[in-house]
Amino acid sequence: MLCIAGLCCFFYILGSWQNNDNVLGSLNLAARDGSTNTGCSNTMSLDFGAHHTEATSTQISSSITVFEPCDMKYSEYTPCEDTERSLNFPREMLIYRDRHCPEKHELLHCLIPAPPNYKNPLPWPTSRDYTWFANTPHKELTVEKAVQKWVQFQGEKLYFPGGGTFSAGGADKYISDIGELIPLDDGTIRTAIDTGCGVASWGAYLLERNVLTMSFAPRDTHVSQVQFALERGVPAILGVMAANRMPYPARSFDMAHCSRCLIPWSGYDNLYLIEIDRVLRPGGFWILSGPPVNWKTHYKGWNRTEEDLKAEQDAIEDGAQRLCWKKYAEKGGLAIWQKPFNHIECENNHKKDAELRPHICSKSENPDTAWYRKMETCISPLPDTKDQGEVAGGALAKWPARLVALPPRIASNSLPGITAETFNADIKLWEERVKYYKNSLIPPLAKGRYRNIMDMNSGLGSFAAALANDPVWVMNTIAPDAKENTLGAIYERGLIGTYQNWCEAFSTYPRTYDLIHASGLFSLYQDRCDIADILLEMDRILRPEGAIVIRDEVDVLTKVMTISQGMRWETRLADHESGPFNPEKILVGVKTYWVGSE
């Protein structure tokens, strides 16, 4: 019986090996005739190269839905920040510039075209300073912001000299000035948020200091500023401080920044300062430059009265004090406040004066809740501490040790079911998976081919952590109703991300990500919304010749692969890194190069 069992196993494995060879041949044929094959193979036949020429058209089975190109007017379509739809909403508090997504019957079921002459982006770090004009064909900011040197037109390219609203000396000198006032270089500060980022030069130059910045700005009259940022290979997202909370958990950022960002910090009972306080870590810094800072020196150049500027400065100072912040430094055109490390003193002040405003929010409310949640004029409470020297929620290790150190949210049992053991196992698991991706599935990942990476279902962020030493950055996303809200722990690791419901569009321009990774995403969403709509959104935000990696159960991937046949993707189904007997498979694909016509 043992001999028979052994022979059965031998011939089963032999049959699988022979079948893989046959499947590889059929997959090569599928790349030519467009037929669907759900067998598993390696993906060496996929073409990851940059060609800048349209792929040869293929025949598609009549049973597959073919998605046609959209009209060229949709080339820069942002579904949830559509400028026409926004006109239906109030202008008060810039609500009309917030997320307003289309209803199901309004969704586009076509492929967003790239502009004519679209080229693969320049590699990092060259892309920080130069991008192809054909990819973002806009000259408005080269004229409107010429004095501030945001961007300059130079033939086929756009040049970003590091200018901005912050300093005549450029981003590098401005950041050096900040570094003289707060610790930018010792790993204490890792995550930052730039409100009203322009073309994200502040975030771009902070990368040299290992500071990872979430730059955000609305889609407004400053045409394509966030699109420029992402084309440069700098983290950025469409967003605005309006009526809703920013889509980040509490205690996410070590530093927040505003340089002439036009946010009314003194208005609406300091509502926006209160929101900055929510997302700042204990001990985090808020940096303000431009009006009204040091107004006595600069007021003549700002074309505002001394009385007006003094009133605004006083209101901001008063608002910061009411949040229990301390003025940390002021020099030249810079003012810096620091959030307290805990709320012991702040709570004592409110006990002494029950009328003190803003009051502290109820501890029964979850300050991490932020998806379509209205801002509140109350201070988000910090976790309890026993003495003044303790950091609320737990102290963080300095970067880069912070990346693999146990996040305080896990150490404090704030995420039930996730322990130190499961965290460390997750790190090891994703290190092995990323190694498999590089060696067997997507060789260009190890060669700097990709810069902007989207992880559509990030878990503990270990996929991004495994890529931390590569010239890439990863936008982590977590479902707002996830069973375990791990986005806060991702930030505690020194990574960045946002809440995202993938039944809706992501807040970005088309063609802004080089690689999209989705692990278990379609099993999570297949009963919530149409898989095809999620795939069309992935196609919208993926660059031509960008890569897709989808991990899921084989029956789910079969559906995904069938739909993708009508989307001008080339796809292959590969085995799990542990071998062919694992029911989870990996779909690897490339979005073929094609452009729209005027």
Side-chain angles (χ1 to χ4, degrees):
M1 290 177 67
L2 287 172
C3 288
I4 291 170
L7 286 169
C8 287
C9 290
F10 171 75
F11 283 114
Y12 181 83
I13 293 170
L14 180 64
S16 288
W17 175 73
Q18 290 177 330
N19 184 56
N20 276 344
D21 284 346
N22 293 333
V23 166
L24 181 57
S26 66
L27 284 171
N28 285 330
L29 176 63
R32 293 190 294 272
D33 66 11
S35 59
T36 303
N37 191 310
T38 57
C40 299
S41 74
N42 66 46
T43 58
M44 295 309 291
S45 59
L46 276 179
D47 185 358
F48 292 97
H51 305 291
H52 304 157
T53 57
E54 295 199 30
T56 304
S57 61
T58 59
Q59 295 178 351
I60 304 293
S61 170
S62 59
S63 63
I64 294 173
T65 301
V66 176
F67 297 95
E68 299 295 338
C70 304
D71 189 278
M72 271 302 294
K73 70 179 182 180
Y74 293 108
S75 179
E76 296 182 353
Y77 181 55
T78 52
C80 296
E81 291 83 14
D82 181 57
T83 52
E84 291 185 11
R85 184 180 299 105
S86 69
L87 299 178
N88 298 323
F89 296 90
R91 289 180 173 267
E92 182 186 6
M93 297 178 70
L94 297 182
I95 290 173
Y96 75 114
R97 295 210 186 276
D98 212 337
R99 279 178 64 90
H100 303 290
C101 298
E103 299 293 336
K104 185 172 178 59
H105 69 276
E106 298 176 297
L107 296 175
L108 296 181
H109 287 92
C110 53
L111 306 177
I112 302 297
N117 303 315
Y118 182 90
K119 297 182 180 181
N120 205 271
L122 295 165
W124 181 266
T126 303
S127 65
R128 188 195 73 173
D129 301 328
Y130 292 95
T131 66
W132 296 113
F133 174 72
N135 293 6
T136 51
H138 297 285
K139 295 183 181 179
E140 294 88 344
L141 289 180
T142 65
V143 178
E144 184 181 344
K145 298 295 182 180
V147 174
Q148 295 176 350
K149 298 181 180 179
W150 282 25
V151 56
Q152 298 170 357
F153 178 64
Q154 294 185 356
E156 287 188 328
K157 296 177 182 176
L158 292 171
Y159 171 52
F160 297 85
T165 58
F166 31 73
S167 169
D172 218 11
K173 181 182 183 306
Y174 178 69
I175 290 169
S176 294
D177 291 343
I178 295 173
E180 293 178 0
L181 303 176
I182 60 175
L184 280 182
D185 298 316
D186 66 353
T188 301
I189 296 173
R190 166 62 179 173
T191 58
I193 184 167
D194 189 8
T195 54
C197 64
V199 294
S201 288
W202 189 70
Y205 281 79
L206 275 172
L207 288 167
E208 294 179 353
R209 299 171 184 251
N210 285 320
V211 176
L212 195 57
T213 304
M214 180 70 81
S215 299
F216 84 89
R219 179 165 186 168
D220 59 11
T221 54
H222 292 164
V223 178
S224 298
Q225 51 187 338
V226 167
Q227 188 179 23
F228 283 145
L230 288 158
E231 192 69 21
R232 298 173 70 186
V234 179
I237 192 170
L238 286 168
V240 66
M241 296 194 78
N244 292 327
R245 286 179 171 178
M246 295 184 288
Y248 316 113
R251 314 194 313 276
S252 292
F253 299 100
D254 306 313
M255 175 170 63
H257 173 256
C258 161
S259 173
R260 300 175 184 253
C261 61
L262 302 180
I263 295 172
W265 300 113
S266 59
Y268 307 108
D269 296 322
N270 296 121
L271 181 68
Y272 300 130
L273 270 185
I274 293 171
E275 176 62 1
I276 291 294
D277 179 80
R278 184 185 71 85
V279 300
L280 266 184
R281 280 198 52 73
F285 297 100
W286 182 57
I287 302 168
L288 178 67
S289 67
V293 176
N294 199 2
W295 60 269
K296 292 181 181 179
T297 302
H298 302 297
Y299 75 94
K300 291 182 180 178
W302 291 338
N303 293 320
R304 291 174 59 184
T305 65
E306 296 178 72
E307 293 76 17
D308 179 38
L309 289 163
K310 182 180 184 305
E312 184 181 358
Q313 176 81 36
D314 290 346
I316 291 174
E317 297 277 6
D318 180 66
Q321 187 175 5
R322 288 173 179 272
L323 291 171
C324 306
W325 295 0
K326 287 184 169 57
K327 190 71 167 290
Y328 191 84
E330 183 168 340
K331 182 179 179 181
L334 283 168
I336 302 176
W337 287 263
Q338 185 177 34
K339 178 176 176 174
F341 287 96
N342 57 60
H343 270 171
I344 290 178
E345 183 178 342
C346 201
E347 289 175 350
N348 288 336
N349 292 339
H350 281 82
K351 287 177 182 177
K352 293 175 183 177
D353 184 359
E355 300 300 317
L356 191 60
R357 293 292 180 271
H359 65 279
I360 298 176
C361 304
S362 170
K363 291 191 176 182
S364 63
E365 296 181 10
N366 186 356
D368 288 349
T369 304
W371 188 251
Y372 292 120
R373 174 70 177 267
K374 298 295 183 186
M375 293 184 194
E376 299 179 61
T377 52
C378 60
I379 303 171
S380 295
L382 292 174
D384 291 333
T385 52
K386 295 179 180 179
D387 59 67
Q388 286 280 16
E390 188 178 350
V391 179
L396 293 176
K398 292 184 178 182
W399 181 265
R402 175 174 170 177
L403 182 67
V404 294
L406 187 67
R409 277 174 164 87
I410 297 177
S412 64
N413 297 317
S414 298
L415 296 173
I418 301 177
T419 64
E421 290 74 20
T422 56
F423 173 72
N424 290 325
D426 192 67
I427 292 175
K428 185 177 179 181
L429 174 67
W430 281 102
E431 286 176 346
E432 293 173 353
R433 288 179 170 179
V434 169
K435 182 179 179 181
Y436 178 57
Y437 291 169
K438 291 178 176 179
N439 292 342
S440 302
L441 302 186
I442 321 172
L445 182 58
K447 301 175 182 177
R449 169 73 169 78
Y450 309 110
R451 172 64 183 170
N452 304 353
I453 297 179
M454 168 71 73
D455 191 4
M456 298 178 73
N457 188 28
S458 300
L460 292 170
S462 294
F463 168 71
L467 292 166
N469 293 324
D470 293 288
V472 305
W473 65 271
V474 179
M475 179 67 79
N476 294 283
T477 66
I478 294 293
D481 57 351
K483 183 179 178 181
E484 296 298 341
N485 183 356
T486 55
L487 190 55
I490 288 172
Y491 271 97
E492 288 176 340
R493 299 185 68 179
L495 305 169
I496 60 172
T498 181
Y499 293 119
Q500 174 63 26
N501 176 0
W502 285 107
C503 290
E504 298 179 2
F506 192 75
S507 292
T508 191
Y509 284 86
R511 305 172 299 280
T512 45
Y513 286 87
D514 305 305
L515 186 149
I516 298 178
H517 180 261
S519 177
L521 181 87
F522 289 94
S523 289
L524 182 65
Y525 280 93
Q526 64 178 341
D527 297 325
R528 301 186 187 187
C529 48
D530 193 336
I531 285 179
D533 290 332
I534 298 177
L535 288 168
L536 285 168
E537 175 61 6
M538 292 171 69
D539 184 84
R540 183 185 74 88
I541 68 178
L542 186 66
R543 300 188 192 280
E545 298 176 327
I548 307 103
V549 182
I550 304 174
R551 308 177 65 98
D552 224 310
E553 299 298 319
V554 68
D555 57 334
V556 176
L557 289 185
T558 301
K559 298 176 186 175
V560 170
M561 196 169 185
T562 301
I563 297 169
S564 72
Q565 294 298 312
M567 296 176 60
R568 307 192 185 195
W569 292 5
E570 291 183 2
T571 57
R572 305 288 182 272
L573 207 56
D575 285 324
H576 190 274
E577 60 271 4
S578 64
F581 305 113
N582 194 305
E584 182 180 85
K585 302 298 178 185
I586 306 170
L587 187 147
V588 182
V590 176
K591 177 179 175 179
T592 60
Y593 180 91
W594 65 276
V595 298
S597 56
E598 295 294 352

